[in-house]
Amino acid sequence: MARDRLAALRAQRQVASPTGGPGSYEMQGTQSPAPATNGSGAGDSMSAFYAEITSIQDAIQQFDANVTRISDLHSRSLNSLDETGAQQNAAQLDELAEETRQLSNGLSQRIKSLEGPSPSGGQDAQIRKNRIAFVRSKFMETLQRYQDVERQYRARYKQRVERQFKIVKPDATPEEVAAVVNDDSGGGSQIFAQALTSSNRYGESRAAYREVQERHQDIRRIEQTLAELAQLFNDMGTLLGEQEEKIDAIQTQAAGVVADTEGGNRLKHTETAVKHARSARRKKWICFWITVIVILAAIGIGVGVYFGQHPPGKSNSSNGQ
């Protein structure tokens, strides 16, 4: 079991000690000594819990690093002038976005799996609660940062589409620009194609058209990613609300049990007092009747002794003589 104890202590130190620098995930205000295992099932459970928390924190750091790389690839995509390099960059971005999607989904499931009831109570249960809350909040922060990055580059891609369209049609109306930028129903592509036919800058216009098509694909991928991130974020928020409701219900139930127990104790005390009062009254009546009987017995004995010593016939004969 010494190996388990060392593993638990190492996991806690990794969780509790600050690492510094961006992307660090130190525990704040939740440090506590690792419980001794002593060969118990609860100790083994906490050792596994510490190991899983540390692994989740490492995965969140990887998730955060992926978000930074995605931001860099978006920036390269906007600034790339080489078509071959742009295609390679787009392939890397697609691969990394898929990897990050799987990582975020896995993190969501792993954090949810920790939210069940604690196998042990007391201090261990509070430690579990604090650390689960910490990794959940860090995961939600990274989700939020990923959403912010995607929204930022969606806006920049749309600005790029607008500039490319104005190269082809400098006198475009705001309605035409909005239709091309958003291109919700394909009407933007038709407007752009019509502008190409009247442009006297054919080569530059064709290049602008190709880039607009690529940017539209980028925007659609970003919007899909944003929808998935929003769903994950909402799921984690809903999970947090459900856990708070469960905690409130448990606390309410516990308070009810305490109140019922106190009420039951008061009822028991009252019943005991009534029993004692009844017993006291019964004893008083018994004592009263015993006293009466003793008095009557004493009177009877006294009367008997008196008449035994002074018979009525003897007294009359003496008076006749």
Side-chain angles (χ1 to χ4, degrees):
M1 300 309 296
R3 183 180 303 172
D4 291 340
R5 188 177 296 107
L6 289 174
L9 182 60
R10 186 181 300 112
Q12 185 195 15
R13 288 176 176 174
Q14 291 175 350
V15 171
S17 61
T19 56
S24 64
Y25 291 88
E26 65 274 9
M27 296 293 293
Q28 299 174 352
T30 60
Q31 293 90 341
S32 59
T37 60
N38 295 327
S40 64
D44 294 340
S45 175
M46 287 303 292
S47 297
F49 173 77
Y50 281 121
E52 176 65 2
I53 284 289
T54 301
S55 177
I56 288 175
Q57 287 183 290
D58 291 342
I60 293 175
Q61 287 182 322
Q62 182 61 52
F63 181 29
D64 190 71
N66 283 10
V67 172
T68 300
R69 290 178 58 201
I70 287 172
S71 178
D72 292 341
L73 289 172
H74 277 312
S75 180
R76 292 180 187 178
S77 179
L78 284 169
N79 298 323
S80 178
L81 299 177
D82 180 21
E83 184 174 351
T84 302
Q87 292 176 352
Q88 293 176 349
N89 186 82
Q92 291 178 9
L93 184 56
D94 287 344
E95 181 179 356
L96 183 58
E98 176 61 21
E99 175 188 330
T100 305
R101 185 185 68 82
Q102 294 180 6
L103 180 59
S104 61
N105 288 338
L107 277 167
S108 175
Q109 294 300 321
R110 292 172 69 182
I111 293 173
K112 287 179 181 179
S113 68
L114 294 177
E115 296 284 354
S118 174
S120 57
Q123 185 180 9
D124 287 349
Q126 187 61 39
I127 292 173
R128 288 176 63 95
K129 176 183 174 183
N130 292 341
R131 299 200 175 188
I132 291 170
F134 178 80
V135 295
R136 187 201 303 113
S137 67
K138 283 300 179 184
F139 178 54
M140 293 180 72
E141 286 177 10
T142 308
L143 284 174
Q144 184 65 58
R145 190 169 90 86
Y146 194 8
Q147 287 176 311
D148 292 341
V149 166
E150 294 291 80
R151 290 192 189 102
Q152 173 190 354
Y153 280 100
R154 180 180 60 181
R156 293 180 64 179
Y157 283 138
K158 287 187 175 183
Q159 291 172 358
R160 188 63 172 264
V161 169
E162 180 178 350
R163 287 197 299 269
Q164 295 301 316
F165 179 55
K166 287 186 175 180
I167 290 175
V168 178
K169 191 175 184 181
D171 58 346
T173 65
E175 291 76 12
E176 290 175 329
V177 172
V180 170
V181 169
N182 297 319
D183 195 25
D184 295 330
S185 58
S189 298
Q190 296 178 0
I191 294 173
F192 206 115
Q194 292 173 0
L196 283 175
T197 59
S198 58
S199 175
N200 55 5
R201 303 163 63 182
Y202 182 77
E204 190 174 355
S205 297
R206 295 298 300 179
Y209 184 57
R210 284 195 301 270
E211 183 171 357
V212 165
Q213 290 178 317
E214 293 172 359
R215 298 310 171 206
H216 279 153
Q217 293 177 357
D218 294 332
I219 292 170
R220 282 191 289 270
R221 281 194 295 265
I222 287 176
E223 289 176 345
Q224 180 180 356
T225 299
L226 284 172
E228 293 171 353
L229 292 174
Q231 183 62 49
L232 273 178
F233 195 87
N234 290 337
D235 289 347
M236 298 305 296
T238 301
L239 177 64
L240 176 60
E242 290 175 351
Q243 291 302 314
E244 290 177 346
E245 289 177 0
K246 289 179 182 178
I247 291 172
D248 291 342
I250 291 171
Q251 291 175 344
T252 301
Q253 184 178 7
V257 170
V258 171
D260 291 343
T261 302
E262 292 177 350
N265 289 337
R266 286 195 296 269
L267 181 59
K268 289 180 180 178
H269 293 161
T270 302
E271 292 175 349
T272 302
V274 170
K275 290 179 180 178
H276 288 170
R278 289 175 179 172
S279 176
R281 285 196 300 270
R282 189 181 303 111
K283 289 178 180 178
K284 286 181 181 179
W285 281 108
I286 292 172
C287 291
F288 172 77
W289 287 113
I290 290 174
T291 303
V292 171
I293 292 171
V294 170
I295 292 173
L296 292 175
I299 292 173
I301 291 172
V303 171
V305 170
Y306 175 79
F307 282 105
Q309 294 177 352
H310 302 86
K314 186 177 180 179
S315 176
N316 294 334
S317 62
S318 298
N319 291 336
Q321 291 176 356

